[in-house]
């Protein structure tokens, strides 16, 4: 939520900042701004609206400064407006700040600063930061060698909440200071220039060498050096990490939208995950996991905790782990888990799934389980992300950068990875025969080809999307593992096409929601488990009888029985079916949103990485 970028070097900062903001726009897009140091002043350009709007303001100004900070906003405090856009300056224009996160005690700080003669121009929480830095610069900091850093540190020690902050000052025209707590920040290293961003893709065109800033860590960045300081301002060294993502993987590669590109990347993403895991020495799948049979047998249960789409991947994971390992698995929404005093102890394994690795609720839920003595395992797509640094163990999905706000390829990667993790557990526990493992492995290796088959023929989906794009409500039905797909399909539809939908376990419909089924309403059924075909078909018949228009996604040979549309997908092992059955639903949401001429990649009110509660 909110994206920040920074540049210090010899080039003009403004175009680099604008490019970085465009790449980060998925983090928030209701207003944007930049500030550069020029002629001993902070020049600020900002407005509500998209980065393209900001570019139309900035580009004609031909700003020459080679040090700058930038921000794309997802509003929390104060409506999207020019005044509330970042960067914010202190009253004397000595300090310019961009901020990602929330300052929870900003009201108290604001009152204190007002009492001390400061004025405020915005409704934001952020505006207290530059003024507080200024206050400490003038009043409290005296005997430190680096007054700039010491003032930032004094201000930051008063902040409660989450923040990734960049600060510039014309008084110190050769450095940018950054600090973070519970909001992401990376520093990219190049020759004679350095880059800062909330997320790797924003600066991937310039470097593959990154520092990942830790919580409560400060960095003083000049064009040739980056110096790190702890909370007591003691300097320390830090290692860079090489990120081997291809810069073009963060582009659209000829597709109209990132989402479509990412949907079509799924065969490769799955193939890459399978290749990485199945080529480990000793059939081990995960060289960094060392769960013993004794430990796994001692577990009372496993929790899978996540939000949104990642939580749906967790629901599939529950089905697979319970089937293969016979360990009870509970899936919980991170924002619920953290406040419901869950029963967690050293006999619980807690798994946290997060594409971004920065979701505030998921990270808090992880910290909670750790404090109660549970072992924690993170599944993330972003190397070095906060969740991976908190968890005892991490296994990575290799989905590459996912830019579209609606998650598609990261979901598939999470599902396949947790499936392979379940196989790993089952083998350690001895709950699966070698014959069954071989069968499952064979089916897994065939998934990429089967995904391509679905993606190669989208005629039926496009046609159906045109028919239903004007609807107000839809229902998704599925049993067991297909119910997980129904939930995810329904979420995709809501997110990008703004059509209200409900997902129900097929058998549950008759316990209430069937009252909403009336003539012409669309019901989408997912039927992939051969053992549940008849029961699922009966539920579809119940809605057909009440006038519903139906689409069924299946890998079974179904009698037509008045179903309006049947989309056939390839057969696979029942536990792997979600990886195939979600594809038509992702495409359906995409094409409905396109028919409605909506911004598929940046749906209203959403942000890619939800770093606030
Ligand atoms: C997915 O389409 C959503 N945008 C959202 O539900 C997302 O999955 C959720 O916010 C969790 O994000 P994470 O995986 O980065 O933690």
């Amino acid at each position: 939520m909110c994206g920040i970028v920074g540049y210090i070097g010899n080039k003009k900062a403004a175009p680099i900042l604008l490019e970085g903001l465009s790449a980060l726009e998925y983090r928030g897009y209701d207003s944007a701004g930049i500030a550069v140091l020029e002629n001993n002043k902070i020049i600020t350009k900002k407005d509500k609206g998209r980065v393209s709007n900001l570019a139309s303001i900035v580009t004609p100004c031909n700003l020459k400064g080679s040090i700058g900070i930038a921000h794309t906003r997802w509003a929390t405090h104060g409506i999207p407006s020019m005044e509330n856009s970042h960067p914010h300056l202190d009253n004397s224009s000595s300090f310019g700040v961009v901020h990602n996160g929330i300052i929870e005690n900003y009201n108290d700080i604001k009152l204190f600063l007002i009492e001390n003669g400061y004025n405020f121009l915005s409704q934001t929480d952020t505006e207290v930061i530059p003024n507080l830095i200024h206050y400490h610069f003038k009043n409290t900091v005296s005997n430190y060698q680096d007054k700039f850093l010491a003032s930032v540190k004094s201000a930051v020690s008063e902040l409660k909440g989450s923040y990734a902050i960049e600060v510039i000052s014309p008084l110190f025209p050769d450095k940018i200071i950054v600090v973070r707590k519970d909001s992401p920040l990376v520093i990219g290293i190049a020759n004679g220039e350095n880059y800062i961003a909330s997320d790797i893709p924003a600066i991937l065109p310039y470097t593959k060498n990154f520092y990942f800033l830790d919580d409560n860590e400060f960095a003083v960045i000049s064009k040739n050096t980056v110096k790190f300081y702890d909370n007591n301002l003691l300097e320390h060294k830090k290692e860079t990490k090489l990120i081997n993502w291809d810069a073009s993987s963060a582009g659209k590669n000829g597709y109209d939208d990132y989402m479509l590109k990412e949907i079509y990347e799924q065969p490769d993403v799955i193939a890459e995950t399978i290749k990485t895991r199945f080529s480990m020495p000793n059939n081990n799948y995960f060289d960094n996991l060392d769960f013993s049979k004794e430990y796994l047998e001692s577990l009372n249960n496993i929790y899978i905790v996540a939000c949104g789409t990642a939580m749906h991947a967790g629901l599939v994971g529950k089905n697979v782990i319970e089937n293969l390992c016979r360990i009870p698995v509970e899936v919980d929404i991170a924002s619920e888990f953290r406040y419901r005093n869950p029963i967690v102890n050293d006999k619980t394994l807690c798994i946290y799934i997060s594409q971004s690795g920065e979701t505030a609720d998921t990270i808090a839920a992880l910290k909670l389980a750790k404090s109660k003595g549970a072992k924690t395992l993170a599944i993330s797509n972003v190397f070095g992300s906060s969740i991976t640094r908190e968890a005892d163990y991490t296994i990575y999905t290799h989905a590459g950068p996912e830019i579209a706000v609606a998650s598609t390829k990261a979901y598939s990667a999470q599902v396949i990875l947790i499936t392979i993790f379940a196989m790993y557990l089952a083998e350690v526990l001895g709950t699966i025969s070698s014959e069954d493992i071989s069968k499952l492995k064979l089916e897994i290796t065939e998934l990429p080809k089967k995904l391509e088959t679905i993606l190669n023929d989208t005629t039926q989906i496009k046609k159906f999307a045109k028919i239903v794009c004007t609807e107000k409500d839809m229902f998704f039905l599925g049993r067991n593992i297909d119910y997980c797909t129904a939930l995810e399909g329904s979420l995709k539809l809501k997110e990008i096409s703004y059509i209200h939908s409900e997902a129900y376990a097929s058998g549950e419909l008759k316990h209430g929601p069937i009252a909403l089924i009336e003539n012409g309403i669309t019901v989408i059924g997912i039927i992939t488990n051969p053992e549940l075909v008849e029961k699922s078909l009966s539920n579809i018949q119940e809605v057909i009888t009440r006038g519903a228009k139906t689409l069924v996604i299946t890998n079974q040979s179904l009698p037509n029985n008045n179903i309006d549309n049947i989309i056939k997908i390839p057969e696979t092992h029942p536990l792997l079916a979600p990886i195939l059955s979600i594809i038509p639903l992702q495409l359906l949401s995409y094409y409905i949103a396109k028919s409605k001429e909506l911004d598929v990649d940046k749906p209203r009110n959403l942000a890619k990485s939800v770093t606030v509660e």
Side-chain angles (χ1 to χ4, degrees), residues 220-419:
V220 179
I221 306 166
S222 65
K223 58 184 180 182
N224 290 310
T225 59
V226 183
K227 292 185 176 174
F228 294 95
Y229 299 87
D230 68 12
N231 217 6
N232 298 315
L233 296 191
L234 294 172
E235 193 178 342
H236 58 269
K237 296 268 173 266
K238 212 172 160 78
E239 297 276 301
T240 55
K241 305 262 189 251
L242 181 71
I243 298 298
N244 262 327
W245 282 354
D246 180 0
S248 69
S249 63
K252 281 192 196 161
N253 281 358
Y255 285 89
D256 284 352
D257 302 282
Y258 281 109
M259 184 180 174
L260 192 63
K261 176 193 159 226
E262 288 160 7
I263 290 173
Y264 273 84
E265 279 174 348
Q266 290 176 104
D268 289 344
V269 165
I270 299 294
E272 178 61 27
T273 310
I274 297 169
K275 193 181 81 191
T276 321
R277 296 298 151 209
F278 286 1
S279 60
M280 295 301 253
N282 309 323
N283 283 342
N284 191 5
Y285 309 135
F286 305 100
D287 55 357
N288 61 336
L289 299 185
D290 55 3
F291 297 127
S292 66
K293 189 172 181 189
E294 293 66 43
Y295 167 70
L296 293 176
E297 279 176 344
S298 78
L299 291 177
N300 288 333
N301 65 341
I302 293 177
Y303 272 107
I304 303 178
V305 183
C307 306
T309 287
M311 192 270 291
H312 295 154
L315 288 170
V316 179
K318 168 189 166 75
N319 275 268
V320 183
I321 296 173
E322 288 188 342
N323 259 282
L324 299 186
C325 314
R326 309 310 297 160
I327 303 177
V329 180
E330 201 174 322
V331 180
D332 211 345
I333 297 166
S335 55
E336 289 295 306
F337 181 87
R338 62 185 290 193
Y339 292 119
R340 73 173 175 87
N341 194 10
I343 303 167
V344 172
N345 51 40
D346 62 350
K347 304 245 176 304
T348 329
L349 170 65
C350 290
I351 302 173
Y352 295 83
I353 308 178
S354 175
Q355 186 285 129
S356 63
E358 302 295 347
T359 302
D361 284 319
T362 312
I363 294 169
L366 187 149
K367 287 180 180 165
L368 176 75
K370 248 175 113 174
S371 73
K372 287 173 175 267
K375 277 204 167 91
T376 54
L377 167 74
I379 296 182
S380 181
N381 195 38
V382 179
F383 184 84
S385 56
S386 301
I387 205 164
T388 68
R389 285 181 286 162
E390 287 290 340
D392 297 316
Y393 304 90
T394 297
I395 52 179
Y396 284 100
T397 48
H398 294 278
E402 190 181 63
I403 309 290
V405 167
S407 182
T408 53
K409 63 174 180 172
Y411 171 76
S412 308
Q414 288 159 355
V415 171
I416 190 69
L417 192 64
I418 203 154
T419 302

